[in-house]
Amino acid sequence: ADDAHYMGGCLLNENLQWGAILMTYAALPPDPAIVGARWREMWLERLDRIEAFPAIWMQHPWRDRYWKHGSVCEDYGEIRCPVYAIGGWADGYSNAIPRLLRGLKVPRKGLIGPWAHVFPHRGFPGPAIGFLQEAIRWWDHWLKGRDTGIMDEPAYRVWMQESVPPQPQYEHRPGRWVAEDRWPSPRSVRRRWYLNPGRLQDRPEVGAGLTLSSPQTTGIASGEWCAFGADGEMPLDQRQDDGRSLVFDGEPLSAPLEILGAPVVELELSVDAPVALVAVRLNDVAPDGASTRVSYGLLNLTHRDGHHKPAPLVAGRRYRVRIALNDSAHAFPPGHQIRVAISTCYWPIAWPSPQPVTLTLYPGAGTLQLPLRPRAPDDGRLREFDPPEVAPGSRHAPLKPLPFKRTVQRDLTTDEVIYTLSSDGGEFGGHSLARLDEIDLELGYKLSKCHRIRETDPLSAKTELAQEVRLRRGDWSLRIASLVRLSAAADGRTLNFEARLDTWEGDGAEAPVRSRTWDLVIPRKLF
């Protein structure tokens, strides 16, 4: 329900990306230096059994037994060992940390820094911390019985992020460490604002319904669902998406306001289609108008009563829905405004609904609830983390940096917007990505990703991801190439999944050792 596959019941494009990468990983061969002459036989057997992972996941769009059997939240009591859960605000998985603290009954701690999907001692955006030393303190306490003091410290520690102008990446995210002795914290205060016409206010004002049908390109400033520390991953200035959304602004703040936890938006709405989604963003608007995304949430409205039992919407019927946004720690400064932005699509993060949707929102009935965190005197007395250290690892030489290039183009003749990402570290002849000296292996990898959609047609959505991997040791060399595509059928009832995986042995080999193809039709079960 909150992974690379679906968010709020909405299919994520990350599902295709991660599944395509996993298919390519699965095609890698056993190392002849480890398994011997059987490596080729084992490799061919592996290639013959590869699954089309994205298609499998798309066949389970509801919360069924397929997902439940591997989900911690089905029975937190199954975890009987102490847990230290660690993540980053720029990661796609930070919500798991407060959920674990809330659900587990064993001794537990949580830590969230400003980082992407990287280890905290390589933390990016910074500041990085001495994660390895922190891990040793934890293990020495629980595995060796040593008094390291780690369990005397607060249970939940996070990086309270300060307001910053939106930009494609941050070397360092300004902020400070804060902590709570337990989570949920009894110190947290929920403050409510009403979504009145164009405004966030303390009292409801009932007005005429506000209608919206967002262009399908709304969300182009969203950044990546999960950041990995590469250039161009962060959300950009939200004004271009705000202009395609219903927005509700609070008055300029007269004093600092800090939140820690999951913002919640409740809406009363109706739509004109049986399948629709709503995207809600919480933004920090500076006096110069720059709009920085603080958090966001998605809801497939057919999942309004739960992800296990979706039901079509009835056109014109009024529904009340609740959207929990991603957990966040953010400090709004005086003079800034809190903004809620609501749209009917969020491309390329989420796959669009089968048809354009007109949403009617009833002002005065919807609310924004923010988890306010009062400042604590103990924040300034927290134990400082040790400086980052890197443990001894394999000796390797990067032979070529892995550059990332991201572009957004608009074809004015077709009104199609094309988002592309490419990285190229795949060639040899002195240009490979890296050489692992200890095992005498050269690695090459390149990737390209493309999202396409037309402004008014959700069925024009297309995503394509291509990869190539090269391995070489002496006269032993391999090449693996994969191409995965997803598109919508013209009737809106199915998705078309296509994939091809080719493998070659030997430099310059023309005929693939194995070629696998998939051409599958995926029913759209209310998404």
Side-chain angles (χ1 to χ4, degrees):
D2 189 11
D3 197 356
H5 316 295
Y6 298 91
M7 183 179 184
C10 302
L11 175 66
L12 298 176
N13 260 317
E14 192 77 14
N15 180 81
L16 190 75
Q17 175 170 310
W18 168 230
I21 291 172
L22 187 57
M23 289 176 68
T24 305
Y25 284 177
L28 293 169
D31 192 334
I34 297 174
V35 303
R38 290 186 57 243
W39 78 268
R40 194 173 191 277
E41 175 187 348
M42 296 169 66
W43 183 41
L44 295 178
E45 181 180 4
R46 181 179 298 179
L47 293 173
D48 290 338
R49 295 189 178 190
I50 288 176
E51 299 277 2
F53 299 115
I56 293 174
W57 300 330
M58 283 187 285
Q59 291 167 13
H60 295 273
W62 304 353
R63 188 163 179 79
D64 57 15
R65 291 178 60 187
Y66 178 83
W67 301 113
K68 288 183 178 181
H69 86 277
S71 295
V72 170
C73 65
E74 293 297 314
D75 186 0
Y76 285 104
E78 285 294 306
I79 294 182
R80 301 184 181 93
C81 65
V83 171
Y84 197 169
I86 300 175
W89 292 128
D91 199 333
Y93 296 95
S94 53
N95 294 335
I97 287 84
R99 277 205 300 265
L100 286 167
L101 293 179
R102 182 183 295 109
L104 294 173
K105 303 304 180 187
V106 295
R108 57 203 182 274
K109 287 177 70 70
L111 171 66
I112 303 180
W115 317 301
H117 197 69
V118 295
F119 281 108
H121 60 281
R122 301 186 184 276
F124 187 86
I129 65 166
F131 165 67
L132 300 183
Q133 301 97 306
E134 186 76 358
I136 289 172
R137 293 179 69 220
W138 174 261
W139 286 319
D140 278 354
H141 176 92
W142 289 107
L143 301 181
K144 296 182 179 179
R146 295 179 179 174
D147 184 9
T148 64
I150 197 164
M151 294 309 294
D152 299 326
E153 297 165 9
Y156 190 30
R157 184 166 173 173
V158 306
W159 186 252
M160 178 63 68
Q161 302 187 122
E162 295 177 1
S163 180
V164 289
Q167 58 190 59
Q169 187 55 277
Y170 304 94
E171 289 285 340
H172 179 95
R173 187 66 193 257
R176 73 186 198 282
W177 289 108
V178 302
E180 297 293 335
D181 289 332
R182 56 193 172 106
W183 192 260
S185 173
R187 299 184 340 104
S188 182
V189 178
R190 285 266 166 186
R191 181 175 172 184
R192 176 182 296 169
W193 287 265
Y194 289 89
L195 275 63
N196 294 330
R199 309 297 297 169
L200 293 175
Q201 296 176 311
D202 293 330
R203 298 174 180 272
E205 290 184 3
V206 178
L210 306 173
T211 60
L212 172 74
S213 182
S214 299
Q216 298 301 317
T217 52
T218 308
I220 207 71
S222 62
E224 294 288 333
W225 174 81
C226 181
F228 288 84
D231 291 337
E233 293 177 324
M234 297 298 175
L236 300 175
D237 194 317
Q238 297 294 290
R239 280 180 283 191
Q240 60 180 304
D241 287 338
D242 292 350
R244 297 157 177 245
S245 310
L246 289 174
V247 296
F248 303 85
D249 290 346
E251 293 295 323
L253 295 170
S254 59
L257 184 148
E258 296 185 358
I259 65 171
L260 174 59
V264 173
V265 171
E266 293 186 354
L267 304 174
E268 286 207 13
L269 52 79
S270 60
V271 294
D272 63 347
V275 178
L277 69 85
V278 62
V280 179
R281 289 173 289 118
L282 175 68
N283 297 339
D284 177 343
V285 182
D288 65 359
S291 182
T292 299
R293 198 186 71 191
V294 174
S295 183
Y296 75 103
L298 304 175
L299 179 62
N300 176 344
L301 293 173
T302 70
H303 290 233
R304 60 196 175 276
D305 296 322
H307 301 307
H308 63 290
K309 192 179 180 181
L313 297 147
V314 176
R317 179 178 293 180
R318 193 159 165 166
Y319 298 97
R320 187 166 187 86
V321 298
R322 179 181 185 274
I323 302 102
L325 279 58
N326 290 329
D327 276 73
S328 179
H330 184 82
F332 292 88
H336 285 224
Q337 293 174 275
I338 298 170
R339 171 173 292 170
V340 171
I342 299 169
S343 59
T344 56
C345 45
Y346 204 49
W347 178 265
I349 294 288
W351 199 262
S353 304
Q355 64 188 73
V357 172
T358 297
L359 176 147
T360 301
L361 191 70
Y362 300 97
T367 62
L368 164 68
Q369 298 177 47
L370 290 184
L372 305 189
R373 180 189 185 270
R375 284 184 173 241
D378 289 344
D379 289 344
R381 296 191 286 270
L382 292 172
R383 178 188 180 274
E384 290 188 9
F385 289 109
D386 293 329
E389 292 184 3
V390 179
S394 61
R395 296 188 304 275
H396 68 280
L399 303 179
K400 180 184 179 182
L402 189 61
F404 283 86
K405 183 178 181 181
R406 301 172 194 268
T407 61
V408 176
Q409 298 173 298
R410 183 166 194 156
D411 186 333
L412 296 179
T413 61
T414 63
D415 216 12
E416 184 180 50
V417 172
I418 306 164
Y419 171 102
T420 58
L421 175 148
S422 62
S423 63
D424 189 350
E427 301 300 328
F428 286 127
H431 297 288
S432 58
L433 174 62
R435 177 182 177 82
L436 303 182
D437 295 332
E438 289 176 323
I439 57 174
D440 187 28
L441 184 70
E442 281 190 64
L443 300 175
Y445 178 73
K446 55 184 175 182
L447 173 146
S448 67
K449 176 173 67 173
C450 181
H451 302 295
R452 314 172 75 100
I453 199 166
R454 290 199 295 273
E455 192 88 324
T456 59
D457 182 9
L459 297 180
S460 67
K462 295 180 177 65
T463 290
E464 176 179 296
L465 192 124
Q467 300 169 85
E468 184 174 295
V469 180
R470 289 175 178 259
L471 305 174
R472 184 168 68 185
R473 177 190 291 129
D475 59 1
W476 178 76
S477 65
L478 297 174
R479 182 162 64 97
I480 300 166
S482 66
L483 179 64
V484 176
R485 293 191 180 103
L486 186 66
S487 60
D491 61 4
R493 297 178 180 178
T494 59
L495 294 178
N496 301 317
F497 173 84
E498 305 169 70
R500 182 179 181 91
L501 181 69
D502 295 306
T503 54
W504 293 266
E505 183 183 359
D507 284 336
E510 295 184 4
V513 173
R514 281 286 192 276
S515 289
R516 297 286 309 278
T517 60
W518 293 264
D519 191 354
L520 305 173
V521 175
I522 311 294
R524 298 188 69 164
K525 297 172 66 177
L526 298 180
F527 70 88

